[in-house]
């Protein structure tokens, strides 16, 4: 008998009495022969069963004889095949001579109790009435116990009582009519936006856009309909509408001198405008700048902002609005309400006291989920801001001021048709309500009435302007308008300008030249109380529709008279594309600032004037065609840009892993070290090491593939000469490029082995900067300007007032900025479509010579590299298979030998077929063409009709390239996408 059967039999026999004894030699079995004595328990059970069977079934004797004869024959056949079959033994007919009753009853007690338990307990989850036969079941049994048989009624009552106690309080699902009631809808919408805030236009966008959750908001990403080219046409020829209410508005109040003194520490005049700019300080124009940590320029970049000063009103206190992207607000400005700060301080003092109320209030406040999650960050940021800036008043007006953007040449026509200036009102429409009481009080002042009339006249002049780019950049116009829902058209129309009306008007020409006066930039939207009054006393849509229904002529104009709401707004002109020589003013438009609660009241009238609505993707394309950095994508030196790059790398890596190895690119063979993130830190370090190793820019770019990095040495490293002598011939190197092993890469110099954020996306302070000095950028732009014709470059440089490129000029720049990046834009000369993270490389002399001889030459090709991690990945797979096979045979708890296998595979857990593992080698000389930088955004441009890309290049590498390039080939570079071996020629420009 096998071990398993012995265990099974021992388990069955463990409750049998030990006092049962059988004779040493079993008696004869019917039919003849003898068998071995079976176990005691088996014999007793068999005797009892046979005795019971013989007593109950008193039938003819021939059936018993037949039964025993069949058993005898089976026994004989079994012995003939070699003994017992299946571990079963024959039954002895002898009864035991004696038995101990107490021991035997004790052994049977366990079996009896188990049997009673099995009978009393249900083996299924069915109810009592469900155990009855189907013909006895009644529908009323489920709720009426008396309909059951009496023997089951008691059990049914217990089940009913148990179900009542265990039943959870579940809210009944309301019917659709109840769910669609306004109060229930508002409650449901408030519940759904606890984690991500909704804009006032959220429901309108949710029906027509792909929604994404970003930066704590739920925003429209792109339209569900095909509208890529339509949105571009709207930005170019008509008007595109965007909701930018998710931008954060930070309001600062205090004395002008103190504000300027503290704000001057976080910006620099070297980058352009500051808060002290005279035109912006007067409140006439909007300004934009880049902020840095206090006294840390050019390091520790915080992010870009736009700001507006409230026009002076005679007092020394000033009011400032700073508009920040939501991805940047938690980095440098705590955009939180003052109430959080003061509430925390008060409750903290209450906690220190022995009062009961203080402890209870503190604990209750800490139990709030949002406050508990962001407590430390809020308090530290607010305290730091108050210490650094020493502000007298600091508040957050995010979502209190709505912001819409109209982009396109006809955006001012949409404004003039949608909005009408408010009429002067000197008497209250209803003394019981506060509707327009602030407007009535201001209309009693003759100076404010004349100012309002002047603003209205300038606003009407906008209809005769061909494009918003004709206005001075950043012009601000304050205005008070009536309810736009009153001027609602019957059907959608397309707003068009009326040039004949203002063709020869001198006022329009004066508006072109001088812009809006300073006084006309004033708006009542700066006042908190007025904005609150306008929001609370808004006429509801229901009341407005009821008034329309009472008109004698359906569809006629609705005149509300004094009951019409008056809304203060602020119009800010957006200049569009200002840098470069092509397409000046493209993408210009207007920003409209509104009080909260009036979002949809302005949104729908804009839609009915023929505008097209865009989302986040359209905003990205708008900045791409303007060739300006987009927040936070194109700010790699600030914390928000690092976080964005890290999230993008994670998403791209997960997408890469989802594909099987045969259906994805092998980036190791393609020579792409970092396909999912741009290693800016290592790029700048490698170029700094190349400059120190060479002692100057004397070595041109390597013209052959065999001059690429081997073991981490740079092109100017003397040790590379010995490697070149041992390398194969150029013809052999072109077929397959050998890449050094990871062991050699890990032993490289400190310049190449240092690993920072650029390689693995760590959110730390970057060890590189982005050059934003306007003076230096203009100098670099003149050096890489495209040339054609004799002495054109000399005339161009003399016209721009820049110096010629000599070592005396650029060496001080390199010493001041050894690790700097430069924002550039690239245009492909021939076909090609640049992609994200494409490499910007320096062409060799042979490449430029080939291009001069063949104008149709697209570019060289990168030789294939050898995958040095393929064997390790294969070994890792085999180890995993072996470990899995061992786990199936024996569990890890009983197999101590399986633990070393797990430790052995820990070293290769990060190996992924097709990706470089471990520290990156020298990124500049890993391929046959020296890497200069990387592309952050690239696509086919509908504006220029060719592929365009935006990205960053190393300042050291850029000067190195321009210094060694011929005069007629300045600014020519090579582009290569991460998943391709083909290089494409492109023209590099720096627009300032």
């Amino acid at each position: 008998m096998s071990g398993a059967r012995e265990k099974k039999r021992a388990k069955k026999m463990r409750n049998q009495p030990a006092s049962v004894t059988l004779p040493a030699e079993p008696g004869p079995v019917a039919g003849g022969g003898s068998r071995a004595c079976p176990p005691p328990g088996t014999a007793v059970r068999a005797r009892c069963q046979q005795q019971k069977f013989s007593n109950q079934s008193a039938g003819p004797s021939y059936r018993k004889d037949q039964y025993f004869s069949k058993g005898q024959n089976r026994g004989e056949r079994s012995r003939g095949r070699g003994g017992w079959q299946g571990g079963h033994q024959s039954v002895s007919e002898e009864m035991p001579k004696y038995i101990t009753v107490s021991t035997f009853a004790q052994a049977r007690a366990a079996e009896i109790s188990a049997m009673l338990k099995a009978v009393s307990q249900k083996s299924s989850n069915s109810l009592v009435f469900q155990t009855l036969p189907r013909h006895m079941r009644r529908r009323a049994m489920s709720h009426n116990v008396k309909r059951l048989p009496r023997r089951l009624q008691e059990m049914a009552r217990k089940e009913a009582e148990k179900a009542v106690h265990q039943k959870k309080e579940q809210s009944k699902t309301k019917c659709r009519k109840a769910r669609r009631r306004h109060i229930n809808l508002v409650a449901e919408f408030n519940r759904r936006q606890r984690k991500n805030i909704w804009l006032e236009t959220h429901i309108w966008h949710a029906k027509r856009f792909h929604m994404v959750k970003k930066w704590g908001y739920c925003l429209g990403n792109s339209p569900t309909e095909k509208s890529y080219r339509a949105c571009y046409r709207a930005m170019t020829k008509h008007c595109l509408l965007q909701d930018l209410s998710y931008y954060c508005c930070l309001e600062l109040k205090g004395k002008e001198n103190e504000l300027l003194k503290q704000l001057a520490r976080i910006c620099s005049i070297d980058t352009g405008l500051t808060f002290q700019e005279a035109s912006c300080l007067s409140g006439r124009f909007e300004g934009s700048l880049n902020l840095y940590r206090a006294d840390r320029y050019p390091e520790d970049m915080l992010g870009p902002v736009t700001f507006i000063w409230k026009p002076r009103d005679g007092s020394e206190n000033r009011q400032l609005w700073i508009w920040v992207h939501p991805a940047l607000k938690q980095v440098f400005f705590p955009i939180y309400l003052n109430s959080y700060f003061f509430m925390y301080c008060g409750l903290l003092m209450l906690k220190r006291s022995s009062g009961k109320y203080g402890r209870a209030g503190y604990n209750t406040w800490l139990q709030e989920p949002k406050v508990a999650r962001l407590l430390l960050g809020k308090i530290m940021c607010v305290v730091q801001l108050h210490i650094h800036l020493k502000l007298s008043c600091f508040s957050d007006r995010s979502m209190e001021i709505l912001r819409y953007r109209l982009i396109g040449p006809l955006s001012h026509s949409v404004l003039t048709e949608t909005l009408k200036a408010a009429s002067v009102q000197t008497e209250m429409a209803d003394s019981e309500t506060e509707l327009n009481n602030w407007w009535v009080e201001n209309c009693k002042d003759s100076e404010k009435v004349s100012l309002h009339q002047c603003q209205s006249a300038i606003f009407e002049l906008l209809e005769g302007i061909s494009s918003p780019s004709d206005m001075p950049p950043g012009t601000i116009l304050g205005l008070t308008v009536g309810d736009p829902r009153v001027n609602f058209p019957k059907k959608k129309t397309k707003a068009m300008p009326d040039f004949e009306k203002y063709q020869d008007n001198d006022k329009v020409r004066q508006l072109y030249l001088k812009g809006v006066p300073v006084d006309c930039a004033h708006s009542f939207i700066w006042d908190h109380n007025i904005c609150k009054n306008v929001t609370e006393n808004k006429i509801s849509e229901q009341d407005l529709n009821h008034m329309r229904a009472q008109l004698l002529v359906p569809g006629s104009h609705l005149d509300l008279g004094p009951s019409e709401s008056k809304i203060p707004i602020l119009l800010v002109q957006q200049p569009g594309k200002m840098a470069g020589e092509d397409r000046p003013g493209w993408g210009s438009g207007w920003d409209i600032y509104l009080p909260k609660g009036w979002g949809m009241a302005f949104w729908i009238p804009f839609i009915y004037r023929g505008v097209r609505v865009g989302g986040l993707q359209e905003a990205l394309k708008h900045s791409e065609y303007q060739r300006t950095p987009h927040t936070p994508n194109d700010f790699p030196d600030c914390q928000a840009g690092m976080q964005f790059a890290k999230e993008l790398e994670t998403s791209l890596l997960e997408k890469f892993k989802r594909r099987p190895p045969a259906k994805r690119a092998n980036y190791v063979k393609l020579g792409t070290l970092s396909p999912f993130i741009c290693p800016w830190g290592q790029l700048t370090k490698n170029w700094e090491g190349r400059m120190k190793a060479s002692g100057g820019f004397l070595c041109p770019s390597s013209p052959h593939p065999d001059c690429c990095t081997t073991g981490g040495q740079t092109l100017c490293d003397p040790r590379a000469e010995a490697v070149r002598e041992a390398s194969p011939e150029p013809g052999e190197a072109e077929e397959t490029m050998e890449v050094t092993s990871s062991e050699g890469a890990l032993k490289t110099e400190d310049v190449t082995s240092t690993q920072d954020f650029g390689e693995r996306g760590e959110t730390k302070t970057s060890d590189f900067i982005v050059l934003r000095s306007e003076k230096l950028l203009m100098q670099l732009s003149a050096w890489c300007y495209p040339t054609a014709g004799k002495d054109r470059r000399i005339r161009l440089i003399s016209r721009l007032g820049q110096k010629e490129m000599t070592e005396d000029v650029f060496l001080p720049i390199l010493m001041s900025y050894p690790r700097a990046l430069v924002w550039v834009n690239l245009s492909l000369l021939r076909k090609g479509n640049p992609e994200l993270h494409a490499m910007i490389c320096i062409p060799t002399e042979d490449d430029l010579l080939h291009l001069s001889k063949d104008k149709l030459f697209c570019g060289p090709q990168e030789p294939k590299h050898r995958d040095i991690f393929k064997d390790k990945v294969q070994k890792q797979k085999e180890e995993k298979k072996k470990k899995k096979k061992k786990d199936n045979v024996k569990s890890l708890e009983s197999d101590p030998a399986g633990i070393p296998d797990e430790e052995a595979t820990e070293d290769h857990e990060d190996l992924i077929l097709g990706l470089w593992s471990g520290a990156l080698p020298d990124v500049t000389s890993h391929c046959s063409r020296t890497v200069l930088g990387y592309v952050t955004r690239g696509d086919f441009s509908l504006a220029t009709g060719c592929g365009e890309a935006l990205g960053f290049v190393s300042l050291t590498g850029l000067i190195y390239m321009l210094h060694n390039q011929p005069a007629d080939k300045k600014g020519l570079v090579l582009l290569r996408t991460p998943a391709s071996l083909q290089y494409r020629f492109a023209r590099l420009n720096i627009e300032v």
Side-chain angles (χ1 to χ4, degrees):
M1 187 181 295
S2 62
R5 290 178 176 175
E6 290 179 356
K7 291 180 181 180
K8 186 175 180 180
R9 186 176 181 282
K11 185 177 180 182
K12 291 181 179 180
M13 302 298 296
R14 63 188 174 200
N15 292 326
Q16 299 302 323
S19 60
V20 177
T21 58
L22 297 175
E25 295 181 2
V29 184
S34 63
R35 297 178 185 173
C37 178
T42 306
V44 173
R45 286 199 304 272
R47 281 285 188 181
C48 296
Q49 292 176 1
Q50 291 179 3
Q51 184 178 2
K52 183 178 179 180
F53 178 77
S54 60
N55 295 335
Q56 290 180 359
S57 58
S61 60
Y62 69 90
R63 293 188 178 181
K64 296 181 182 180
D65 298 339
Q66 185 180 2
Y67 171 78
F68 284 110
S69 64
K70 291 181 179 179
Q72 178 185 2
N73 296 335
R74 281 197 296 267
E76 291 176 355
R77 287 197 299 268
S78 299
R79 286 194 302 273
R81 287 195 297 265
W84 310 108
Q85 286 291 329
H88 297 284
Q89 296 175 342
S90 62
V91 180
S92 176
E93 297 181 1
E94 295 287 339
M95 291 290 293
K97 294 182 178 180
Y98 60 90
I99 184 172
T100 306
V101 179
S102 60
T103 308
F104 185 80
Q106 185 178 1
R108 301 283 75 76
E111 296 179 1
I112 296 172
S113 61
M115 181 183 65
L116 293 176
K117 185 178 180 181
V119 172
S120 61
Q121 288 185 352
K122 295 185 300 180
S123 59
S124 62
N125 296 327
S126 59
L127 298 176
V128 175
F129 69 90
Q130 293 175 337
T131 60
L132 292 172
R134 293 187 179 275
H135 70 279
M136 293 181 64
R137 298 182 190 179
R138 298 294 182 269
R139 183 179 300 159
M141 289 180 179
S142 59
H143 58 84
N144 189 1
V145 180
K146 294 183 179 179
R147 296 302 299 269
L148 285 165
R150 291 186 178 181
R151 59 183 178 86
L152 300 178
Q153 289 182 8
E154 187 65 25
M155 296 177 62
R157 290 192 186 95
K158 292 181 180 179
E159 284 185 354
E161 293 176 0
K162 186 177 180 181
V164 169
H165 292 299
Q166 291 183 351
K167 187 176 182 180
K168 297 181 180 179
E169 292 292 337
Q170 296 181 356
S171 59
K172 295 183 179 180
T173 305
K174 298 179 181 179
C175 63
R176 175 175 172 80
K177 184 178 180 180
R179 293 197 308 267
R180 299 302 298 176
R181 290 195 184 104
H182 180 71
I183 187 172
N184 295 334
L185 278 178
V186 172
E188 177 66 14
F189 292 161
N190 292 334
R191 183 192 64 81
R192 288 165 57 184
Q193 56 179 318
R194 288 176 183 173
K195 295 183 179 180
N196 297 283
I197 302 174
W198 287 5
L199 305 182
E200 292 191 10
T201 59
H202 170 81
I203 296 179
W204 190 94
H205 278 91
K207 296 177 181 179
R208 300 164 178 87
F209 275 69
H210 297 287
M211 307 301 290
V212 293
K213 296 177 181 178
K214 282 188 175 182
W215 313 305
Y217 295 89
C218 196
L219 307 175
N221 189 39
S222 60
T224 53
E225 62 179 357
K226 294 182 179 179
S227 59
Y228 179 81
R229 291 178 177 268
C231 290
Y232 171 75
R233 287 194 299 268
M235 288 186 286
T236 306
K237 298 180 180 180
H238 192 247
C239 184
L240 182 78
L241 177 62
Q242 290 179 336
D243 189 356
L244 302 183
S245 302
Y246 59 90
Y247 268 70
C248 304
C249 179
L250 176 69
E251 185 179 76
L252 308 180
K253 289 182 180 180
K255 295 183 179 180
E256 181 178 330
N257 295 333
E258 294 181 358
L259 287 175
L260 293 176
K261 181 180 178 181
Q262 300 300 329
L263 291 172
R265 300 176 57 194
I266 58 177
C267 60
S268 175
I269 197 174
D270 192 27
T271 60
L273 295 178
T274 62
F275 290 101
Q276 299 179 359
E277 183 67 26
S279 59
C280 299
L281 189 60
S282 63
R284 187 181 176 189
F285 296 100
E286 180 191 44
S288 61
L289 48 81
N290 296 311
L291 296 186
Y292 296 82
R293 294 193 184 274
D295 305 324
R296 291 288 296 167
Y297 174 81
E299 300 176 355
D300 293 342
M301 168 72 173
L302 295 179
V305 299
T306 58
F307 64 93
I308 299 175
W309 286 95
K310 181 183 179 181
R312 294 184 176 91
D313 53 1
S315 63
E316 61 179 359
N317 291 332
R318 296 296 302 273
Q319 193 171 347
L320 174 66
W321 281 354
I322 300 178
W323 290 89
V324 188
H325 192 275
L328 308 173
K329 68 176 182 179
Q330 297 180 0
V331 179
F332 60 95
F333 274 135
I335 310 299
Y336 304 109
L337 295 175
N338 275 335
S339 58
Y340 281 147
F341 175 72
F342 295 115
M343 188 187 301
Y344 174 78
C345 294
L347 291 174
L348 185 61
M349 296 179 65
L350 289 172
K351 183 187 177 185
R352 292 178 180 176
S353 63
S354 59
K356 180 179 179 181
Y357 174 76
R359 289 193 298 270
Y362 177 79
N363 295 332
T364 303
W365 188 71
L366 284 182
Q367 289 175 0
E368 293 293 333
K370 292 184 179 180
V371 178
R373 186 172 64 250
L374 301 174
L375 171 64
L376 183 60
K378 288 181 179 181
I379 302 310
M380 294 303 295
C381 291
V382 174
V383 171
Q384 184 179 6
L385 182 69
H386 279 266
I387 291 176
H388 283 181
L389 300 183
K390 300 178 182 178
L391 302 177
S392 58
C393 185
F394 162 81
S395 60
D396 171 30
R397 298 199 67 181
S398 301
M399 301 301 295
E400 293 184 10
I401 304 297
L402 308 182
R403 184 177 178 182
Y404 293 161
R405 175 166 292 179
L406 295 171
I407 303 172
L410 301 185
S411 56
H412 56 278
S413 301
V414 174
L415 282 175
T416 54
E417 288 193 15
T418 306
L419 307 179
K420 301 298 180 182
S423 59
V424 178
Q425 181 180 351
T426 57
E427 295 181 358
M428 292 288 295
D430 188 359
S431 58
E432 297 180 357
T433 62
E434 297 181 355
L435 178 64
N436 298 334
N437 60 349
W438 63 274
W439 180 244
V440 172
E441 293 178 0
N442 286 284
C443 287
K444 295 178 181 179
D445 190 348
S446 59
E447 294 183 359
K448 294 182 179 180
V449 171
S450 61
L451 177 61
H452 172 67
Q453 293 175 353
C454 182
Q455 291 175 340
S456 303
I458 294 176
F459 179 71
E460 292 178 359
L461 290 176
L462 295 179
E463 191 176 356
I465 298 177
S466 60
S467 175
S469 59
D470 297 336
M471 299 286 292
T475 299
I476 298 177
L477 175 62
L479 190 63
T480 302
V481 298
D483 196 334
R485 297 173 293 179
V486 177
N487 303 322
F488 208 74
K490 295 181 180 179
K491 60 181 180 179
K492 283 188 178 181
T493 58
K494 196 168 185 179
M496 300 298 294
D498 187 4
F499 298 109
E500 297 179 357
K501 187 176 181 181
Y502 301 98
Q503 188 173 3
D504 298 330
N505 199 331
D506 294 337
K507 295 182 179 180
V508 176
R509 288 195 295 269
Q510 291 295 327
L511 189 62
Y512 284 153
L513 299 176
K514 298 181 180 180
V516 178
V518 180
D519 297 337
C520 294
H522 179 271
S523 176
F524 293 105
I525 198 174
W526 291 92
D527 195 334
H528 291 257
N529 297 326
I530 292 178
C531 291
K532 184 178 180 181
N533 184 293
V534 171
T535 301
E536 293 177 351
N537 294 282
K538 174 190 173 184
I539 302 177
S540 64
E541 292 286 343
Q542 183 179 4
D543 295 340
L544 204 62
N545 293 332
H546 182 68
M547 295 177 187
R548 288 196 184 103
Q550 293 179 349
L551 291 174
L552 296 177
V553 180
S556 60
H557 177 71
L558 177 63
D559 187 8
L560 298 179
S563 301
E564 182 180 358
S565 300
K566 309 298 188 296
I567 307 102
I569 65 172
L570 202 64
L571 302 177
V572 181
Q573 190 261 0
Q574 296 299 320
K577 189 177 186 299
M578 301 179 63
E581 298 180 357
D582 59 329
R583 296 180 291 113
W586 186 92
S588 60
W590 292 90
D591 281 6
I592 305 100
Y593 298 161
L594 314 169
K596 69 176 181 180
W598 286 88
M600 291 303 297
F602 280 77
W603 186 266
I604 299 300
F606 283 147
I607 300 297
Y608 269 72
R609 261 68 184 192
V611 301
R612 183 170 286 272
V613 182
L616 297 179
Q617 290 300 320
E618 283 68 31
L620 185 67
K621 287 298 177 182
H622 178 242
S623 63
E624 182 177 332
Y625 289 149
Q626 290 190 40
R627 298 170 185 169
T628 56
H630 188 72
T631 309
N633 309 28
D634 301 323
F635 290 88
D637 56 338
C638 73
Q639 188 173 347
M642 298 178 189
Q643 182 68 22
F644 174 82
K646 183 178 180 181
E647 294 174 357
L648 181 62
E649 181 193 20
T650 303
S651 62
L652 293 178
L653 183 59
E654 291 177 355
K655 184 179 179 181
F656 179 81
K657 290 180 179 179
R658 286 196 296 265
R659 291 178 174 269
K663 302 298 181 182
R664 65 192 187 196
N666 190 326
Y667 292 108
V668 178
K669 290 185 177 181
L670 295 172
T672 305
L673 293 176
S674 182
F676 305 136
I677 193 170
C678 300
W680 303 118
Q682 187 163 349
L683 176 70
T684 53
K685 288 179 182 180
N686 294 155
W687 272 108
E688 184 186 16
R690 290 167 66 92
M691 184 183 68
K692 291 179 180 179
S694 62
F697 294 137
L698 302 177
C699 300
S701 180
S702 173
H704 299 291
D706 57 353
C707 299
C708 64
T709 299
T710 305
Q713 293 87 358
T714 59
L715 292 174
C716 302
D717 196 341
R719 292 175 294 177
E721 297 295 333
V723 179
R724 290 197 194 107
E725 294 178 0
S727 62
E729 296 181 1
E732 299 175 359
E734 291 178 358
E735 296 177 359
T736 303
M737 171 174 268
E738 298 292 335
V739 184
T740 57
S741 62
S742 59
E743 290 80 9
L746 293 173
K747 298 178 182 178
T748 53
E749 299 294 333
D750 180 62
V751 176
T752 61
S753 62
T754 306
Q755 187 174 358
D756 59 347
F757 161 77
E759 291 80 11
R760 293 295 178 262
E762 299 176 2
T763 55
K764 298 180 179 179
T765 304
S766 61
D767 53 355
F768 61 90
I769 64 170
V770 176
L771 185 65
R772 294 185 175 92
S773 173
E774 287 191 349
K775 183 179 179 181
L776 296 179
L777 290 176
M778 291 181 68
Q779 182 70 74
L780 292 173
S781 177
W783 287 344
C784 63
Y785 197 87
T787 60
K790 189 177 181 180
D791 298 334
R792 179 184 175 185
R793 181 172 184 77
I794 299 175
R795 293 196 305 269
L796 177 65
I797 292 177
S798 62
R799 179 169 60 87
L800 296 176
Q802 303 297 335
K803 301 177 182 179
E804 186 64 32
M805 188 176 186
T806 59
E807 292 188 2
D808 296 337
V809 178
F810 65 74
L811 283 181
I813 300 176
L814 295 179
M815 297 301 295
S816 302
Y817 303 97
R819 296 183 182 180
L821 298 175
V822 182
W823 173 258
V824 297
N825 64 82
L826 305 105
S827 300
L828 292 176
L829 300 185
R830 299 287 182 269
K831 64 179 182 179
N833 190 18
E835 297 177 1
L836 181 66
H837 301 151
M839 290 167 283
I840 307 172
C841 304
I842 301 176
T844 62
E845 294 180 1
D846 292 348
D847 298 336
L848 297 177
L849 184 61
H850 195 175
L851 181 64
S852 301
K853 294 180 180 180
D854 185 7
K855 297 299 182 181
L856 299 179
F857 177 57
C858 294
Q861 280 197 348
E862 174 73 15
K864 281 188 178 182
H865 295 233
R866 183 174 64 87
D867 190 356
I868 60 176
F869 302 102
K870 186 175 181 180
D871 296 338
K872 295 182 179 180
V873 174
Q874 191 67 24
K875 184 179 178 182
Q876 177 184 351
K877 289 184 178 179
E878 294 177 357
E879 291 176 354
K880 287 183 178 179
K881 288 182 179 179
K882 291 180 181 178
K883 182 176 177 295
K884 187 176 181 180
K885 190 175 181 180
K886 288 183 179 180
D887 292 344
N888 294 336
V889 176
K890 205 176 257 189
S891 62
L892 292 175
E893 290 79 9
S894 61
D895 184 24
I899 299 176
D901 296 340
E902 184 179 358
E903 296 176 353
T905 57
E906 287 180 358
D907 300 336
H908 308 290
E909 285 182 356
D910 57 342
L911 288 178
I912 302 174
L913 185 62
L915 295 180
W916 189 277
S917 178
L920 300 181
D922 191 343
V923 297
T924 60
S925 54
H926 177 72
C927 301
S928 61
R929 304 303 187 272
T930 306
V931 177
L932 185 63
Y934 295 94
V935 171
T936 58
R937 281 185 290 158
D939 199 357
F940 181 83
S941 175
L942 298 176
T944 59
C946 65
E948 282 195 348
L950 301 171
F952 292 93
V953 297
S954 171
L955 174 63
T956 307
L958 179 63
I959 296 178
Y960 164 78
M961 182 190 73
L962 296 176
H963 179 68
N964 292 296
Q965 278 186 336
D968 58 339
K969 302 294 183 183
K970 297 287 185 181
L972 281 181
V973 295
L974 292 172
L975 280 181
R976 183 166 73 91
T977 57
S980 174
L981 295 173
Q982 180 68 47
Y983 289 94
R984 303 284 184 184
F985 279 102
R987 175 74 64 182
L988 183 144
N989 292 319
I990 300 175
E991 295 182 348
V992 186

